[in-house]
Amino acid sequence: MSDHGDAVEDPEFSEEDIHVVSSQGNVSREEAVKALIAANGDPLEALIALSR
């Protein structure tokens, strides 16, 4: 990762997974990627974590 602002790029996750977490979790793309990282790439786990 780079230190260029708050932009988070992680090619490990599909754009579809990022979009699903972002839209269903009602969060930004960056927050969705961070949630996916924390959930080891599992979109369902990411959404559960965001709902807490």
Side-chain angles (χ1 to χ4, degrees), residues 21-44:
V21 173
S22 177
S23 63
Q24 294 296 314
N26 198 28
V27 296
S28 69
R29 182 183 193 284
E30 290 79 17
E31 289 174 294
V33 171
K34 288 178 185 178
L36 283 164
I37 291 169
N40 296 314
D42 184 331
L44 182 56

Side-chain angles (χ1 to χ4, degrees), residues 2-18:
S2 65
D3 292 326
H4 296 101
D6 291 333
V8 177
E9 292 296 324
D10 201 317
E12 292 180 36
F13 310 123
S14 72
E15 284 299 318
E16 181 179 355
D17 285 349
I18 295 168

